[in-house]
């Protein structure tokens, strides 16, 4: 430990230990913020967040070190977990794309306490997720490649004909410096993760359309299913992973969205499934209703949805439903 070495940050950001690849990124941001503190005697925690031009903004950040006063004043509200619109609680975000979309892990069964998880994008504008990596390292590899693809499409311009190069350079220096800094971050993170980003690289689960990321609809997300467990795909793109005996042998009652249909039969079926000890099938049906029914039905779904999570031992996901409530009122 030296004067320029920050104290270790406390790993209490997610419901599970931060996977090593993301720790690498947070370490880089943590050191950057601490260097600023050393130089300015003021701690700017926003330096831990603002990496959107590089890849994404961190969705949650460590607390500043003890004794580090700074501006803006740190508030634990900055560390509140967030869900993009239309995502289900099994999507645990760790980055914000700045347009309502998020990057995060797919964690269908947190009680398994796995050390890493598949990574996906949730657009925030429609249901479903787009897989970009089987684990955090692969997901970050994708994001680095995406950054290079965007920069290739939108390079730092050269001085236009007829303009004084010195004047143009003075006016454009900030943008040039920002791109150079972002490029250094890409190179550093790629080196530390030992990956080789490429703007033309493709990844299972997604495809390119220019600089946009599109879901590969022919690709099915597959989870590692322990012995005695079962995974059923769902309309949210994640589905339900649970012990086999938590399922019923039949499909849940389907809600078909139309002006003349009623939600009551599907809700009554979910309650029967819960009463008879089949919370996994109930959860599958409730999440499918969430995707297919108008968003105004969230309040009707929430009590049974929360109960299904609790019956499966996933109380933290029942609490995440509370975070979703303001979005669907």
């Amino acid at each position: 430990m030296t004067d320029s070495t920050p104290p270790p940050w406390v790993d209490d950001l997610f419901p599970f230990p931060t996977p090593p690849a993301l720790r690498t990124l947070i370490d880089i941001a943590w050191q950057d913020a601490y260097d600023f503190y050393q130089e300015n005697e003021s701690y700017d925690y926003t330096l831990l967040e603002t990496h959107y031009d590089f890849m994404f903004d961190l969705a949650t950040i460590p607390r500043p070190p003890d004794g580090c006063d700074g501006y803006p004043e740190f508030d634990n509200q900055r560390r509140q977990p967030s869900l993009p619109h239309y995502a289900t609680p099994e999507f645990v975000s760790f980055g914000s794309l700045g347009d309502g979309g998020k990057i995060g892990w797919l964690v269908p069964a947190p009680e398994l306490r796995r050390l890493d998880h598949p990574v996906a994008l949730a657009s925030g504008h429609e249901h479903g997720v787009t897989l970009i990596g089987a684990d955090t390292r692969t997901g970050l590899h994708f994001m680095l490649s995406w950054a290079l693809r965007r920069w290739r499409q939108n390079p730092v311009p050269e001085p236009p004909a007829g303009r004084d190069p010195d004047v143009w350079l003075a006016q454009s220096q900030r943008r040039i410096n920002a791109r150079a800094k972002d490029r250094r971050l890409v190179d550093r993170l790629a080196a530390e993760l030992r990956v080789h980003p490429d703007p033309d690289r493709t990844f299972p689960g997604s495809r390119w359309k220019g600089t946009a990321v599109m879901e590969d609809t022919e690709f099915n997300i597959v989870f590692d299913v322990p012995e005695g467990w079962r995974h059923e795909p769902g309309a949210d793109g994640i589905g339900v992973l649970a012990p086999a005996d938590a399922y019923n042998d039949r499909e849940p009652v389907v809600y078909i969205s139309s002006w003349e249909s009623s939600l009551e039969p599907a809700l009554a079926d979910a309650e029967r499934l819960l009463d008879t000890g089949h919370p996994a099938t109930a959860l599958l049906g409730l999440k499918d209703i969430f995707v297919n029914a108008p968003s105004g039905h969230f309040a009707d779904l929430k009590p049974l949805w929360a109960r299904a999570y609790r019956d499966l031992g996933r109380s933290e996901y029942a609490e995440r439903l509370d975070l979703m409530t303001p979005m669907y009122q």
Side-chain angles (χ1 to χ4, degrees):
M1 180 76 69
T2 67
D3 288 342
S4 63
T5 303
W9 51 273
V10 178
D11 188 2
D12 62 351
L13 305 179
F14 307 104
F16 39 76
T18 304
L22 190 63
R23 286 192 67 95
T24 299
L25 175 58
I26 296 174
D27 281 340
I28 291 171
W30 184 254
Q31 178 71 63
D32 190 41
Y34 196 75
D35 288 347
F36 182 90
Y37 170 73
Q38 293 289 102
E39 293 172 10
N40 299 278
E41 298 184 353
S42 177
Y43 194 81
D44 183 359
Y45 70 83
T46 64
L47 295 174
L48 289 163
E49 298 176 301
T50 49
H51 293 85
Y52 174 61
D53 288 340
F54 163 38
M55 286 196 306
F56 52 78
D57 293 343
L58 292 170
T60 184
I61 59 173
R63 298 183 187 90
D66 291 340
C68 286
D69 295 327
Y71 181 83
E73 184 177 351
F74 183 78
D75 184 341
N76 271 325
Q77 187 68 26
R78 306 296 306 188
R79 290 163 41 88
Q80 289 299 310
S82 61
L83 277 169
H85 209 59
Y86 297 117
T88 51
E90 290 83 358
F91 180 86
V92 181
S93 62
F94 61 77
S96 173
L97 300 178
D99 59 359
K102 303 278 188 180
I103 175 174
W105 296 291
L106 305 183
V107 190
E111 67 271 27
L112 292 176
R113 301 190 180 280
R114 288 176 168 160
L115 299 180
D116 211 337
H117 317 276
V119 173
L121 300 175
S123 73
H125 305 289
E126 57 188 10
H127 293 285
V129 294
T130 299
L131 188 74
I132 61 170
D135 53 28
T136 306
R137 180 172 177 267
T138 311
L140 293 181
H141 190 185
F142 176 96
M143 296 303 295
L144 291 168
S145 297
W146 192 12
L148 297 183
R149 193 176 183 91
R150 294 197 311 270
W151 297 347
R152 184 175 67 184
Q153 182 74 15
N154 185 27
V156 175
E158 297 292 328
R163 288 286 302 276
D164 184 315
D166 292 334
V167 173
W168 180 90
L169 182 62
Q171 293 173 340
S172 306
Q173 194 63 56
R174 184 173 181 179
R175 181 181 175 190
I176 293 170
N177 291 345
R179 177 63 60 84
K181 179 181 178 182
D182 290 341
R183 182 67 211 220
R184 289 194 296 272
L185 283 169
V186 165
D187 292 342
R188 178 179 175 184
L189 183 59
E192 294 199 24
L193 295 178
R194 298 180 182 175
V195 298
H196 303 283
D198 182 330
D200 293 316
R201 184 184 297 276
T202 57
F203 293 77
S206 60
R207 59 185 177 86
W208 298 114
K209 186 176 180 180
T211 59
V213 183
M214 309 297 289
E215 180 186 1
D216 180 355
T217 55
E218 309 229 339
F219 182 88
N220 293 319
I221 298 175
V222 177
F223 294 99
D224 181 13
V225 181
E227 184 177 355
W229 285 53
R230 177 173 154 192
H231 174 252
E232 289 293 334
D236 67 336
I238 303 171
V240 175
L241 176 64
D245 60 7
Y247 286 92
N248 191 291
D249 289 336
R250 64 170 178 80
E251 298 288 327
V253 171
V254 177
Y255 170 79
I256 300 175
S257 181
S258 73
W259 68 271
E260 59 183 3
S261 62
S262 170
L263 198 60
E264 288 308 316
L267 293 178
D269 183 62
E271 187 168 18
R272 281 193 298 271
L273 288 165
L274 290 168
D275 288 344
T276 55
H278 300 106
T281 305
L283 178 60
L284 183 65
L286 291 163
K287 292 210 299 172
D288 283 358
I289 294 171
F290 170 70
V291 172
N292 293 309
S295 60
H297 285 306
F298 178 82
D300 300 311
L301 298 172
K302 183 182 173 185
L304 294 173
W305 197 349
R307 180 181 165 190
Y309 281 139
R310 291 193 179 96
D311 287 357
L312 287 167
R314 301 171 187 173
S315 59
E316 64 268 48
Y317 283 177
E319 293 168 5
R320 285 171 70 83
L321 293 175
D322 293 334
L323 297 176
M324 296 170 63
T325 300
M327 294 189 281
Y328 301 102
Q329 289 177 337

